[in-house]
Amino acid sequence: MEESKTGYKSWKWTDAHFCNLPTHTLLYPGMSCGISTTPQTNVYGHAKVIDPDGSNKFLVASRVGKFISLEYQITMDKLAPSAKIIPFSYIPAGAELVSLDVICKSVHHKRIVVGVTFIKFEEESEDAESTCKQYLNLQYLFSDCFSQSIDLDFTPYQLTHTSIFVAGKLESVFLLIGSDCKIHMYREVSVSVFVGHVHWIDIVYFNQYSRRLTARGHRDGGITVSHVNVDSNEMLSSWSLQHDSPITCIKIFTLEYSVSQPGFISEKRKVRKVVDPVFHVLALSALEPAAVYRNVLSNGLKEPLVLPQSNKFDVPLCVCIVDIDFDGCNEIMIGTYGQELLAYKFISQKQTSKSGKS
């Protein structure tokens, strides 16, 4: 850590693995399009996949309709990053992909459902103008036995998923934000619609699914965070705040990152007392610096922590919360339209006093 002239501390990221994405030449073999760069994607075109063997993969969808899986492979007893193309036979040629999400219902039975929204330009006749149609396609990742396409009468935005209780049982559902200012919920047996001018939504359950925290970022710059009692369906708290520009992304996270103790470790750890986790909300806006609203369950949306220089590299578009340096604490990774990756690490006052710096 080094003290900078601007008053905050700089953090040097010394260890990172990067994996190149396939270029147009690899995606379209035999076509001499003269393009050697990687096809574009967008902030909605990625999802995490948990394989049946428990390993994690990262699925990226390019706008041209190609799906790329980023994963680690074991080579000579070493982990090596790799990228490979995943075929999706139910996506029509010429479709432009908009958003992607994955529900891992049961890794033991390979119940991994992939949801993809795309736009298809169709020509009815030679004289008629082309029409634009939107679709939501659902299919199993490891099987071609199930595929369903749903016509959409709106332009799709973010596709995500959450869990709901139906007759006392937990069920995974897709949530799709649309240009019609509504949030559409897709279950296996029905479709529901909720009204809202939303650009991005994030949902977290805690206390054994008895509480739900929902954060919504709106196109007019508004932020709404709600705390709900799931058992009684009662709104416990709700907070709202207005920014001056559209919210490009919003994320609920905790600073601590903990994993369960492996079975081969015999030493028993001390069992911590179960308390409500401390949740923070990170909001990215188009023309303002990113802001972290700390401990929202206690403080609401008061006293935001502004992330320095987060608006100096064009519009911040996406965020990832990850323990990048394996110290048990999460860091913030922000991707910008200017193709910069910004990393932020929280330094407590205790750590600052130990290092002898204010």
Side-chain angles (χ1 to χ4, degrees):
M1 298 294 172
E2 296 180 357
E3 189 75 22
S4 67
K5 296 180 180 180
T6 55
Y8 59 87
K9 297 179 181 298
S10 62
W11 172 48
K12 292 184 178 180
W13 187 7
T14 58
D15 186 14
H17 293 165
F18 295 93
C19 182
N20 293 328
L21 296 178
T23 62
H24 268 89
T25 305
L26 295 177
L27 292 175
Y28 299 99
M31 293 182 61
S32 57
C33 58
I35 302 176
S36 59
T37 58
T38 300
Q40 284 187 335
T41 182
N42 59 49
V43 293
Y44 299 139
H46 61 272
K48 176 184 176 181
V49 180
I50 302 178
D51 262 356
D53 60 1
S55 61
N56 292 327
K57 296 181 179 180
F58 191 66
L59 192 63
V60 180
S62 67
R63 293 177 57 189
V64 297
K66 296 295 182 177
F67 295 82
I68 303 168
S69 174
L70 304 178
E71 57 191 272
Y72 278 95
Q73 294 182 344
I74 300 177
T75 304
M76 301 295 292
D77 295 331
K78 294 183 179 180
L79 289 175
S82 65
K84 62 180 180 180
I85 301 173
I86 304 296
F88 277 74
S89 56
Y90 293 100
I91 304 299
E96 182 174 332
L97 272 60
V98 179
S99 53
L100 163 73
D101 193 41
V102 175
I103 292 180
C104 302
K105 290 190 174 183
S106 173
V107 296
H108 301 291
H109 297 89
K110 298 185 178 182
R111 290 292 303 276
I112 299 180
V113 183
V114 180
V116 179
T117 64
F118 60 89
I119 298 175
K120 185 72 169 66
F121 292 93
E122 301 177 354
E123 294 184 1
E124 298 181 356
S125 64
E126 295 182 358
D127 299 332
E129 295 182 356
S130 60
T131 59
C132 177
K133 294 185 178 181
Q134 301 82 219
Y135 300 91
L136 168 63
N137 179 268
L138 305 175
Q139 70 176 88
Y140 288 144
L141 182 60
F142 295 101
S143 174
D144 291 334
C145 63
F146 168 79
S147 179
Q148 180 183 8
S149 289
I150 303 173
D151 293 348
L152 305 175
D153 57 359
F154 55 88
T155 301
Y157 293 154
Q158 181 198 13
L159 179 65
T160 184
H161 67 275
T162 187
S163 300
I164 61 173
F165 279 93
V166 180
K169 295 183 179 180
L170 200 62
E171 179 181 334
S172 297
V173 296
F174 280 109
L175 297 178
L176 176 60
I177 299 175
S179 61
D180 56 352
C181 302
K182 298 177 182 178
I183 302 176
H184 304 257
M185 183 178 72
Y186 295 90
R187 298 173 54 199
E188 291 186 354
V189 294
S190 65
V191 178
S192 301
V193 178
F194 307 92
V195 178
H197 299 259
V198 179
H199 262 179
W200 202 282
I201 188 171
D202 194 24
I203 302 174
V204 172
Y205 284 88
F206 60 100
N207 282 3
Q208 299 180 344
Y209 285 89
S210 65
R211 298 289 187 271
R212 181 175 67 241
L213 192 64
T214 304
R216 302 189 303 272
H218 300 256
R219 68 177 64 177
D220 62 354
I223 295 175
T224 303
V225 179
S226 57
H227 180 204
V228 174
N229 185 324
V230 177
D231 298 330
S232 62
N233 200 25
E234 175 188 1
M235 179 77 73
L236 301 178
S237 303
S238 181
W239 306 274
S240 298
L241 190 70
Q242 189 69 34
H243 282 243
D244 294 331
S245 59
I247 302 300
T248 57
C249 187
I250 196 166
K251 190 73 174 179
I252 303 172
F253 70 98
T254 60
L255 288 182
E256 293 186 356
Y257 177 77
S258 60
V259 295
S260 58
Q261 179 174 314
F264 60 83
I265 298 180
S266 58
E267 181 181 355
K268 294 184 178 180
R269 297 187 302 177
K270 294 182 179 180
V271 179
R272 295 183 178 181
K273 183 180 179 181
V274 179
V275 296
D276 287 344
V278 178
F279 288 110
H280 313 281
V281 173
L282 170 63
L284 306 184
S285 57
L287 302 177
E288 298 174 283
V292 176
Y293 299 92
R294 293 171 288 182
N295 196 1
V296 292
L297 290 179
S298 299
N299 303 328
L301 298 177
K302 300 178 181 178
E303 300 180 1
L305 174 64
V306 177
L307 299 184
Q309 297 192 8
S310 55
N311 63 334
K312 300 296 184 181
F313 305 94
D314 218 320
V315 179
L317 293 176
C318 55
V319 63
C320 179
I321 307 297
V322 61
D323 180 14
I324 196 68
D325 54 1
F326 303 104
D327 65 346
C329 297
N330 284 322
E331 284 79 45
I332 297 176
M333 314 295 292
I334 296 178
T336 72
Y337 187 78
Q339 300 184 8
E340 296 286 345
L341 183 62
L342 310 179
Y344 294 92
K345 183 177 182 64
F346 289 89
I347 305 297
S348 65
Q349 294 182 354
K350 293 182 180 180
Q351 291 174 301
T352 304
S353 59
K354 288 181 180 180
S355 63
K357 298 176 181 179
S358 57

